[in-house]
């Protein structure tokens, strides 16, 4: 009887070759999956940036632009009340206080919250992510100050008695509220300037047509005190001197 002995060396080579082909196939599949996932994440990052750009340019942006437009007008109104408490008739002070009506708007950051709550930001690049973060960091402070301003404006209208002469205490209280509103207006105006400056490199500026509409409407409501901002200039809040001295009326 003839016995055929196995050839282990040849068999193992074939086996390892087959295993190698399988492993290579798996690696190729994994690499392809990672590439596809990378493209998917990149698309998600682009969509997220588009959402943030729309939110900043067409939601928060017009509010910031409008605030800069009318900042000096509101300051003039408040200064008239603040300085008029010394000698202006009570009826005149009441009229000025009633007429003071700064805009109250909500400042949104929903698109940014969606980015923070996911891993999409990892696919934007560090520099880009910091740029978006810098723009959105201004929003909560502006929102809080705007809310406080609305409360103070209501307080301003109710400080003096509804009729008759105003006491020295009433006038002093009116002066204090007007002073607080001056500070709020300054913070909102400077904060809006900073917001606009930080959205510029993100290509999230207020559309030109909207700028013109806001400018036209502001001048019809407030007159010549309306000042169109220079969007190419650095914001006052970014001036190194802002670290050394604050706002003084």
């Amino acid at each position: 009887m003839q016995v055929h002995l196995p050839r282990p060396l040849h068999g193992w080579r074939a086996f390892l070759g087959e295993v190698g082909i399988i492993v290579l196939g798996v690696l190729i599949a994994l690499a392809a999956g990672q590439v596809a996932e990378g493209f998917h994440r990149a698309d998600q990052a682009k969509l997220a940036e588009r959402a943030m750009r729309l939110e900043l340019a067409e939601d928060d942006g017009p509010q910031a632009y409008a605030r800069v437009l009318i900042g000096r007008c509101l300051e003039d109104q408040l200064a008239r009340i603040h300085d008029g408490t010394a000698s202006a008739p009570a009826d005149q002070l009441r009229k000025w206080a009633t007429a003071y009506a700064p805009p109250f708007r909500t400042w949104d950051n929903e698109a940014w919250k969606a980015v923070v709550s996911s891993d999409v930001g990892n696919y934007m690049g560090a520099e880009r992510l910091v740029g978006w973060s810098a723009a959105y960091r201004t929003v909560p402070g502006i929102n809080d100050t705007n809310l406080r301003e609305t409360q103070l404006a209501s307080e301003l209208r109710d400080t003096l008695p509804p009729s008759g002469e105003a006491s020295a205490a009433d006038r002093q209280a009116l002066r204090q509220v007007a002073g607080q509103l001056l500070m709020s207006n300054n913070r909102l105006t400077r904060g809006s300037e900073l917001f606009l400056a930080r959205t510029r490199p993100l290509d999230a500026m207020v559309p030109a047509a909207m700028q013109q509409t806001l400018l036209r409407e502001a001048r019809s409501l407030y007159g010549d005190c309306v000042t169109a901002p220079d969007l190419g200039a650095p914001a006052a809040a970014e001036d190194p001197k802002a670290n050394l001295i604050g706002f003084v009326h």
Side-chain angles (χ1 to χ4, degrees):
M1 181 178 65
Q2 185 177 7
V3 179
H4 297 281
L5 296 175
R7 300 179 181 178
L9 184 60
H10 175 74
W12 281 109
R13 284 179 177 176
F15 174 74
L16 291 175
E18 291 179 3
V19 171
I21 291 172
I22 293 172
V23 171
L24 181 61
V26 170
L27 291 175
I28 291 174
L30 289 174
Q34 289 177 347
V35 170
E37 180 69 11
F39 280 123
H40 175 64
R41 293 297 187 179
D43 286 340
Q44 284 188 320
K46 289 179 181 177
L47 289 174
E49 288 202 65
R50 182 182 178 189
M52 290 189 291
R53 189 171 291 111
L54 285 171
E55 186 171 61
L56 294 180
E58 300 187 17
D59 186 355
D60 295 333
Q63 299 168 187
Y65 189 84
R67 189 67 194 213
V68 177
L69 285 176
I70 65 173
R72 188 164 67 88
C73 304
L74 297 177
E75 181 179 350
D76 291 345
Q77 291 180 26
L78 289 168
R80 182 173 58 185
I81 298 171
H82 182 272
D83 299 341
T85 55
S87 58
D91 286 340
Q92 183 64 71
L93 289 173
R94 276 189 283 267
K95 184 182 297 185
W96 288 340
T98 301
Y100 186 71
F104 173 68
R105 310 294 293 168
T106 58
W107 297 74
D108 301 322
N109 58 356
E110 298 306 313
W112 172 247
K113 287 180 181 178
V115 169
V116 173
S117 64
S118 68
D119 63 347
V120 173
N122 297 335
Y123 297 87
M124 292 181 183
E127 185 175 346
R128 194 72 173 168
L129 187 62
V130 168
W132 288 109
S133 174
Y136 273 105
R137 280 201 308 273
T138 64
V139 171
I142 294 175
N143 192 65
D144 291 346
T145 303
N146 197 188
L147 177 60
R148 176 58 177 158
E149 179 189 54
T150 301
Q151 296 168 342
L152 286 170
S154 177
E155 207 175 305
L156 185 78
R157 291 187 287 272
D158 295 335
T159 299
L160 297 184
S163 60
E165 289 300 319
S167 67
D170 291 333
R171 289 174 177 270
Q172 179 60 25
L174 185 66
R175 180 183 175 87
Q176 289 177 349
V177 176
Q180 292 179 65
L181 280 165
L182 278 165
M183 181 65 72
S184 294
N185 177 60
N186 179 263
R187 287 176 177 170
L188 284 168
T189 302
R190 290 196 174 196
S192 295
E193 288 176 348
L194 182 60
F195 172 91
L196 294 172
R198 289 183 175 179
T199 57
R200 185 168 58 245
L202 301 170
D203 193 25
M205 295 296 295
V206 180
M210 176 61 73
Q211 293 180 28
Q212 292 303 313
T213 298
L214 289 169
L215 179 60
R216 183 172 61 253
E217 293 295 332
R219 283 180 173 160
S220 70
L221 289 171
Y222 292 91
D224 295 337
C225 61
V226 172
T227 306
D230 180 2
L231 297 180
E238 294 181 322
D239 188 330
K241 291 181 181 177
N243 297 315
L244 304 172
I245 188 170
F247 167 73
V248 179
H249 169 65

